[in-house]
Structure formats: structure tokens, C-alpha cells
């Protein structure tokens, strides 16, 4: 049963990768890469369960956090053109 789930996750990862390569807009591509990352988290968790290694769940949670932060960073870069702050610098009290 978990082998079938692994196969289905791999199929959906292939579909997400296809959308990431062929997406009509950049936002479709970002969403597809985010979906691919989420499916990777699921794949790591299922493979850890199949291998009897519960520490893989910790690895998948760290990967999920990195995926989330990376997606936010890419979307901020696409909106503002850089990852820094926009606006005036605070004045120094001298």
C-alpha cells in the first residue's frame, strides 16, 4: 500500500515538474516548484516509514520549512526586484 503511495507521489512530482518547465507564467512555475517541494516532503516521509527510519520525518519537516521560506523569498524577489527592504533608510541619531 505504501509502495503504491510512493508511486503516486512520483507521478504527481513528474506532473509538477512538467508544469514548472512548461508553465505559461512565472507564477505557475513558482507554484509548480512549491508543489514539487511539498511532494518531496511527502516522499521523504513515506520512504522513511517504509525503511523503518522515523528520523526521516525530522528531515522532511526541515525540508518543508526550507521550501516555504524559499517560496516566499522567490515571490518577494519577483514582486520587488530584490530581497532587501523598500523605503527610506532610518535616520541615524547623531
Amino acid at each position: 500500500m505504501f509502495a503504491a503511495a510512493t508511486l503516486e507521489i512520483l507521478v504527481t512530482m513528474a506532473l509538477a515538474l512538467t508544469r514548472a518547465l512548461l508553465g505559461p507564467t512565472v507564477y505557475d512555475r513558482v507554484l509548480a516548484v512549491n508543489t514539487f517541494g511539498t511532494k518531496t516532503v511527502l516522499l521523504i516521509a513515506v520512504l522513511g516509514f517504509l525503511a523503518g527510519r522515523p528520523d526521516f520525518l525530522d528531515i522532511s519537516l526541515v525540508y518543508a520549512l526550507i521550501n516555504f521560506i524559499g517560496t516566499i523569498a522567490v515571490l518577494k524577489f519577483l514582486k520587488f526586484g530584490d530581497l532587501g527592504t523598500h523605503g527610506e533608510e532610518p535616520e541615524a541619531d547623531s
Side-chain angles (χ1 to χ4, degrees), residues 75-84 86:
L75 289 174
K76 184 176 179 182
F77 180 77
L78 290 174
K79 183 174 181 181
F80 296 116
D82 66 353
L83 295 177
H86 276 263

Side-chain angles (χ1 to χ4, degrees), residues 7-74:
L7 183 64
E8 291 171 7
I9 291 171
L10 289 172
V11 168
T12 57
M13 286 175 76
L15 292 172
L17 188 60
T18 303
R19 174 54 65 192
L21 294 174
L22 302 176
T25 66
V26 70
Y27 295 108
D28 290 330
R29 292 176 180 180
V30 170
L31 181 63
V33 169
N34 188 16
T35 303
F36 187 84
T38 303
K39 297 299 178 185
T40 303
V41 170
L42 289 172
L43 184 65
I44 291 170
V46 170
L47 289 177
F49 182 78
L50 286 175
R53 305 271 314 259
D55 51 339
F56 277 22
L57 187 59
D58 295 334
I59 295 169
S60 66
L61 288 174
V62 169
Y63 188 82
L65 290 172
I66 292 171
N67 183 36
F68 174 72
I69 292 170
T71 301
I72 297 300
V74 167

